[in-house]
Amino acid sequence: MTLIPKGISQFQPSSYCPIRLYNVAYKIISKVVVNRLKEAFPSLISPYQNAFVPGRIITNNIILASELLRTINRKTNGRASLAAFKIDMGKAFDKISWDFLLTVLEAVGFNQHWINIIRQCISTVSYQVLVNGSPSKSFSPNRGQRQSDPFSPYLFVMCMNVLYHLLKEAENDGYIRGIEISRNAPPINHLLFTDDCCIFFDVCVHSCKKLKSVLINFCSLSGLQINFEKSKLFLSPTTKVHARKWFSDILNAKKVDSPRKYLGLKIGKILKKREFFGNLLEKIDSKLAFWKSKFLSFGGTMTLIKSILSSIPLYPHSVFKSPLSICDDMDKRIRSLGGAMTREKKLHAYN
């Protein structure tokens, strides 16, 4: 295991990201297990979870979350208040309980032979940390999953599916009521993408207390920990000032005036589309500023354009349609890259 620093400050263990290497034999075994697991995976996972399930993509969550937040913003009259609660889970893969994981596998119908194979895969590992290039003493963990293991994400998604059942049970009992985008649309009370969870509900004191008890119950079962201080609560304009304080105090969550990002993209109310997509131009400008200090040939410039610059807008454009002015500005920056780096007029490096 090698510890890679995340940022400038490295005074705490959480400032490092562990990178682990595994042998070829284990990789083959885990890949075979994943290929067999994929066949039954869609029938085991709830429709609100869109990660690692064939036929479901990340853009589904972004579009649904954007429409739900738009519905919350449009709630400007009436007594009812709507809320979006984004949960922050710390080190989710490293804290999942093995007993909880094996119990979930048994509950969904896996036979004992499969459970024993997975138990051996997750419990027979030992680590050595490289400190200044020298390995330390080996040690064995007692919880968590391997980050680069092929079937670790699938097992984690199955554990998060327990949270779906807890939330649906609370909804069926009438404690947590979901939000309807339109009159004929079904109510949606949460969206999941691996450990990224957003809960949308008709907020009141009782629903907040029930939601917090559900989350605490799930954490006690799974071994996960929710950082309520980093979790964010977004409320509709109809919510009164004193009620906002009540709800945030019950959930121990930080109130935000507008949601910033979800799964890497800005969502919610779009005031001006040019401001909404302005970060794309900032990313391209930051790349260009770094490249101008390099001595790149025309062929190297073309390679960087195709591999980096042209791929930056692909993810946001797969969800939202940007204005033509933003597209023209991006094309202008890319086309003039060759001349801008040498301060000479040359042929365009991109067509």
Side-chain angles (χ1 to χ4, degrees), residues 249-278:
D249 290 343
I250 294 173
L251 296 173
N252 292 334
K254 180 181 178 182
K255 302 188 300 294
V256 293
D257 296 331
S258 61
R260 296 180 181 178
K261 286 187 177 181
Y262 177 66
L263 298 177
L265 289 182
K266 293 181 179 180
I267 58 174
K269 187 177 181 180
I270 304 177
L271 297 177
K272 294 182 180 180
K273 285 189 174 182
R274 185 167 182 86
E275 295 179 0
F276 185 81
F277 290 94

Side-chain angles (χ1 to χ4, degrees), residues 10 15 20 70 77 93 97 114 150 195 197 213 217 226 303 312 314 331:
Q10 296 97 27
S15 303
R20 310 173 182 92
R70 195 171 299 175
N77 52 20
F93 268 69
S97 172
W114 260 83
D195 62 333
C197 180
S213 66
N217 185 25
I226 296 178
T303 303
I312 288 177
L314 291 182
D331 288 340

Side-chain angles (χ1 to χ4, degrees), residues 319-349:
V319 184
F320 302 109
K321 183 179 179 181
S322 63
L324 292 177
S325 59
I326 294 291
C327 296
D328 292 338
D329 289 343
M330 287 190 293
D331 288 340
K332 183 179 179 181
R333 283 167 167 78
I334 294 174
R335 286 197 306 264
S336 61
L337 178 58
M341 295 180 68
T342 59
R343 296 182 181 180
E344 296 178 1
K345 289 185 178 181
K346 290 187 175 182
L347 294 175
H348 282 169

Side-chain angles (χ1 to χ4, degrees), residues 117-135:
I117 292 176
I118 295 177
R119 180 188 288 110
Q120 293 178 11
C121 289
I122 64 177
S123 61
T124 57
V125 61
S126 62
Y127 295 119
Q128 285 182 299
V129 181
L130 290 176
V131 181
N132 296 327
S134 301

Side-chain angles (χ1 to χ4, degrees), residues 239-255:
T239 310
K240 297 181 180 179
V241 177
H242 63 276
R244 291 175 181 268
K245 189 177 185 305
W246 290 346
F247 302 149
S248 62
D249 290 343
I250 294 173
L251 296 173
N252 292 334
K254 180 181 178 182
K255 302 188 300 294

Side-chain angles (χ1 to χ4, degrees), residues 75-81 238-239:
K75 183 67 177 178
T76 56
N77 52 20
R79 294 183 178 181
S81 300
T238 56
T239 310

